[in-house]
Amino acid sequence: MRSCIYPGSFDPITCGHLDLIRRLASMYDKVTVTVMINRAKAGCIPSEERVKLIRKACAGIRNVDVELWHGLLADYAAAHPGSVVARGIRNASDFEAEMTAAAVNRRLNPGMETVFLPASDKWGDVSSSAVREIASFGGDYTPFVPGCIRRDLKKWLKPVKEVL
């Protein structure tokens, strides 16, 4: 069985993420979307809720599972032998950062392979950070997130009141 791990913080999942998940699902027998805890980022959506949102967004994709992982990606990959790690690339900055991360992960887990998939033209400029930024100023972020979770996101993505 050909399987892949698609890790990320997904805070929130975007249409770009979902596009990549669909494309991976057409290439692999099993895709495990793995919600990772990124300590360098202060998340706005609790990790357990992100798992629920991704499951809802991926409900129609038969070969996709969603899991939460509180640890290193290299350790998660070691616990799932035979799976490759898939990463989306939007631009040259992403490529550089992902190449560095892949090299570090291979040092931690020599059997770990990472594949890169370029973002589709339609979603190459979309990121979770941009969605959070738009929301924080009261802008319309809805074109960038899956329609089935837009209502759910209103609970966490709210304008930030400026304190002077």
Side-chain angles (χ1 to χ4, degrees):
M1 177 193 285
R2 296 173 315 143
S3 62
C4 79
I5 300 162
Y6 179 41
S9 55
F10 306 104
D11 189 30
I13 185 171
T14 67
C15 291
H17 291 131
L18 189 56
D19 177 69
L20 199 67
I21 292 165
R22 285 186 177 122
R23 291 164 58 203
L24 290 167
S26 73
M27 297 165 39
Y28 292 93
D29 300 315
K30 180 181 176 186
V31 177
T32 304
V33 179
T34 309
V35 176
M36 308 292 292
I37 306 305
N38 185 339
R39 293 186 179 169
K41 295 180 182 179
C44 70
I45 302 172
S47 53
E48 295 82 8
E49 293 298 322
R50 286 184 248 157
V51 168
K52 290 177 188 175
L53 292 169
I54 297 166
R55 284 184 178 142
K56 188 172 184 178
C58 295
I61 311 171
R62 64 167 179 75
N63 57 335
V64 172
D65 291 326
V66 184
E67 293 186 1
L68 176 61
W69 182 253
H70 292 274
L72 294 171
L73 176 56
D75 293 338
Y76 185 86
H80 297 82
S83 294
V84 300
V85 172
R87 298 296 294 155
I89 303 293
R90 292 171 298 181
N91 52 43
S93 297
D94 278 358
F95 181 72
E96 187 174 326
E98 293 298 342
M99 284 294 293
T100 300
V104 169
N105 281 322
R106 276 196 66 121
R107 284 182 175 231
L108 296 172
N109 176 356
M112 184 175 158
E113 291 292 346
T114 303
V115 297
F116 303 116
L117 195 61
S120 64
D121 291 340
K122 184 174 183 179
W123 303 114
D125 57 346
V126 176
S127 68
S128 296
S129 298
V131 168
R132 290 191 310 272
E133 180 79 2
I134 293 166
S136 75
F137 284 99
D140 182 13
Y141 59 85
T142 59
F144 308 111
V145 297
C148 64
I149 64 167
R150 288 176 183 158
R151 282 188 145 170
D152 301 310
L153 289 176
K154 289 182 182 199
K155 180 177 180 178
W156 294 284
L157 300 180
K158 298 177 182 175
V160 175
K161 306 273 189 221
E162 188 172 351
V163 179
L164 298 174

